[in-house]
Amino acid sequence: MATREPRIEGDPPHPVSFRTEHYKGGTVFPAKSQPWGELNYALMGVAEFVIEGVRYLSPPHYAIWLPPDTMHGAWNQHDLHYVTVYVERALCADLPAEPSTLSISPLLKAILADFAVRDITLPATEEDLRLALVMVDQIRLAPRCESYLPLSNDPLLGPVLKALQADPGDRHSLAEWARRMGTTERTLSRRCNDDLGISFNEWRQRLRLVKALALIEAGEPVRRIATQLGYGSASAFIAMFRRLTGTSPTRLG
């Protein structure tokens, strides 16, 4: 049987529609807006979005919510297994009014997995429609933030973040980065909090988590991932991973 080509466009929601696709590394999704809400969720891999000029990352366990009429484009550097849910405008009134990164509940994951296994793209039965509306409620209740891994164009902070993205295993402290940039630790710390909304250490841990998720999905062993990400031991890496995700990396491999 021939493999179906990925559908860049999904079915319009009535009132909700779904699609689950595999995309090859290097797939580009041109910028567009749609008259309905959209939830994007990676099952494997990491997608990168530009949403109204702001960059977002979409790793597993976190979804990107787009309200109706939101201009957005996306691409994936590596292979991606991805779920997209479309929600008609009338159901979006109580959902986030701004683009948001959402933490996905086990119930929402289970509903999406069930629809994917049964290849449900539009709920046709009363039972599936009820499940779809429960999923909409889970979107409304999901903990949210503006972006999981925010970035900055600040002339002092921006180059530091770019360097860490290129080498997430870098172990230099904030004070050492401040000296490299010819500023003080207090100044760089303040710019982290002002521009990113989180501390330098929290940002670096999120970066390492994003990188770790991609490496886990690629089949890399935990000990090797810990070394690549600058941890002194696998147990230290596992502790960070468990704190940020609530589970062990060995359960995702």
Side-chain angles (χ1 to χ4, degrees):
M1 185 172 65
T3 301
R4 177 167 52 85
E5 289 297 316
R7 294 168 293 170
I8 298 298
E9 298 292 341
D11 298 313
H14 298 292
V16 181
S17 64
F18 308 84
R19 64 187 173 98
T20 302
E21 302 287 353
H22 286 90
Y23 298 106
K24 292 293 186 182
T27 302
V28 175
F29 303 84
K32 64 180 179 180
S33 65
Q34 299 177 132
W36 47 72
E38 184 175 320
L39 185 80
N40 297 277
Y41 170 49
L43 295 171
M44 181 192 75
V46 178
E48 301 184 42
F49 282 75
V50 173
I51 303 171
E52 296 183 339
V54 178
R55 181 172 176 265
Y56 287 71
L57 293 183
S58 176
H61 312 293
Y62 293 90
I64 302 295
W65 167 252
L66 302 170
D69 306 319
T70 301
M71 183 62 68
H72 64 284
W75 68 95
N76 51 293
Q77 296 184 32
H78 306 288
D79 290 356
L80 184 68
H81 189 195
Y82 214 69
V83 177
T84 305
V85 181
Y86 301 110
V87 182
E88 70 178 10
R89 185 185 295 271
L91 290 179
C92 293
D94 294 329
L95 302 183
E98 302 293 335
S100 304
T101 299
L102 305 181
S103 179
I104 299 299
S105 71
L107 177 56
L108 182 50
K109 290 179 186 179
I111 294 172
L112 291 173
D114 174 61
F115 283 164
V117 167
R118 295 190 288 124
D119 197 25
I120 300 296
T121 57
L122 285 167
T125 67
E126 290 186 8
E127 292 81 5
D128 284 343
L129 181 58
R130 284 197 295 268
L131 279 177
L133 294 178
V134 168
M135 190 207 63
V136 173
D137 279 340
Q138 289 296 297
I139 296 174
R140 177 175 58 83
L141 296 170
R144 69 190 73 164
C145 54
E146 289 185 1
S147 172
Y148 184 71
L149 193 69
L151 296 176
S152 171
N153 292 322
D154 180 87
L156 292 178
L157 182 58
V160 175
L161 302 185
K162 185 176 181 179
L164 289 173
Q165 285 183 291
D167 181 14
D170 182 280
R171 301 179 68 175
H172 289 93
S173 67
L174 182 61
E176 290 169 323
W177 275 111
R179 284 195 293 272
R180 287 185 175 192
M181 299 304 298
T183 187
T184 66
E185 180 179 2
R186 176 178 294 182
T187 295
L188 204 53
S189 176
R190 184 173 62 249
R191 299 207 180 180
C192 283
N193 289 312
D194 290 346
D195 278 26
L196 308 179
I198 54 178
S199 71
F200 174 78
N201 286 335
E202 177 68 16
W203 188 91
R204 179 151 59 183
Q205 286 190 340
R206 290 189 184 191
L207 170 67
R208 288 174 172 174
L209 174 62
V210 168
K211 298 295 185 181
L213 288 166
L215 292 169
I216 290 168
E217 297 293 353
E220 290 286 340
V222 168
R223 188 173 300 277
R224 188 180 301 169
I225 294 172
T227 300
Q228 289 185 46
L229 298 183
Y231 289 91
S233 66
S235 60
F237 163 69
I238 291 170
M240 177 280 295
F241 195 96
R242 189 183 297 277
R243 183 179 74 81
L244 294 184
T245 68
T247 190
S248 168
T250 57
R251 298 190 63 181
L252 302 180

